[in-house]
Amino acid sequence: MLDLDLDSVNASLRNASASDIVRWALSLQARTIATTSMGKNAAVMLHLVSEVDKSVPTIWVDTGYNLRDTYVVAERLIRDLELNIHVYSPQMTSERRNAIMGGVPTVDEEERHQEFTRQVKLEPFARALEEFSPDIWLTGIRREETEHRKTLDIVSLDNRGIIKVAPIFNWSEDDVEAYMEEHELPSCRHYFDPTKVHDGRECGLHTAA
């Protein structure tokens, strides 16, 4: 496991550009993955990482509940950015799960929703982690997105012992949109994450450990 002084690392990266943060993470020469949801502004992180090193494995957990728009834009990004993409899907199809579970559980149905989240997101991601055994995880999380994320920093350590590096951690929504516009990156206007249901909730990938 990498032994980093997180306080001094974060202090040194405080004013670094997102690209420089990606470069710093890759300079550690440890096993590194990037993750994507293929959500509305997913192209920002995909572009940032691919501009520095296209060989970084990008993990996409496809829940099976994405909308057509999401899949169309995802294929375009995979092709145009020449991503080293690895897609992990649930072991059961969404149609079969819907028949058994009666559709996507609401957040109020706590136990059913937890099991649903485990099946469509956490279990496929656990398989990805087992396969790649990363030391470093490049992630597009931003401070302002959820209460949990406000407790993190550009570089943080999760309970699995993986070092999470968030190059756009301090970006605002306006920063994200400006980057999308500047680089003419495609966005899926319609995106649905069945494990979050509404904004400001964690899907579990960043809190499961």
Side-chain angles (χ1 to χ4, degrees):
M1 197 167 77
L2 290 170
D3 185 21
L4 295 176
D5 179 342
L6 293 183
D7 288 340
S8 65
V9 163
N10 279 303
S12 71
L13 295 174
R14 189 74 58 228
N15 299 311
S17 70
S19 292
D20 284 343
I21 294 169
V22 173
R23 285 191 190 89
W24 170 83
L26 295 177
S27 76
L28 298 172
Q29 298 189 315
R31 287 189 302 270
T32 304
I33 61 166
T35 53
T36 184
S37 64
M38 288 297 180
K40 186 167 159 249
N41 295 314
V44 170
M45 273 299 292
L46 295 172
H47 185 266
L48 274 167
V49 176
S50 71
E51 286 288 283
V52 178
D53 185 350
K54 290 186 190 306
S55 72
V56 175
T58 296
I59 310 299
W60 175 24
V61 173
D62 173 10
T63 63
Y65 289 85
N66 282 307
L67 305 174
R68 182 181 183 281
D69 189 24
T70 304
Y71 289 117
V72 169
V73 173
E75 290 308 312
R76 188 174 152 193
L77 287 167
I78 291 166
R79 182 196 68 215
D80 292 355
L81 300 178
E82 300 171 344
L83 302 177
N84 178 11
I85 194 86
H86 298 263
V87 184
Y88 287 80
S89 301
Q91 293 176 321
M92 189 189 294
T93 65
S94 49
E95 284 300 319
R96 183 178 168 206
R97 187 179 304 98
N98 288 346
I100 294 168
M101 296 184 85
V104 179
T106 65
V107 185
D108 301 330
E109 303 172 88
E110 202 169 324
E111 271 184 38
R112 287 181 70 237
H113 195 271
Q114 275 179 359
E115 174 56 19
F116 175 84
T117 300
R118 188 195 69 75
Q119 287 183 24
V120 304
K121 199 167 266 191
L122 302 184
E123 189 279 328
F125 189 57
R127 264 185 280 134
L129 292 182
E130 198 174 330
E131 195 165 316
F132 286 92
S133 299
D135 300 306
I136 294 172
W137 170 7
L138 286 164
T139 167
I141 60 171
R142 292 187 295 115
R143 180 195 296 277
E144 65 176 39
E145 290 173 320
T146 69
E147 286 306 309
H148 170 68
R149 293 174 190 190
K150 286 178 183 145
T151 68
L152 303 175
D153 210 330
I154 295 166
V155 182
S156 58
L157 185 67
D158 85 355
N159 294 338
R160 308 173 183 95
I162 305 171
I163 291 163
K164 274 199 264 203
V165 180
I168 61 171
F169 188 69
N170 292 312
W171 284 24
S172 66
E173 194 68 34
D174 287 346
D175 293 331
V176 170
E177 283 174 18
Y179 189 94
M180 292 283 289
E181 210 169 287
E182 181 190 345
H183 297 281
E184 298 178 341
L185 296 168
S187 170
C188 61
R189 304 195 189 293
H190 307 101
Y191 176 71
F192 172 61
D193 184 339
T195 63
K196 284 186 182 175
V197 185
H198 49 75
D199 289 342
R201 281 192 82 249
E202 287 287 345
C203 65
L205 287 197
H206 295 280
T207 54

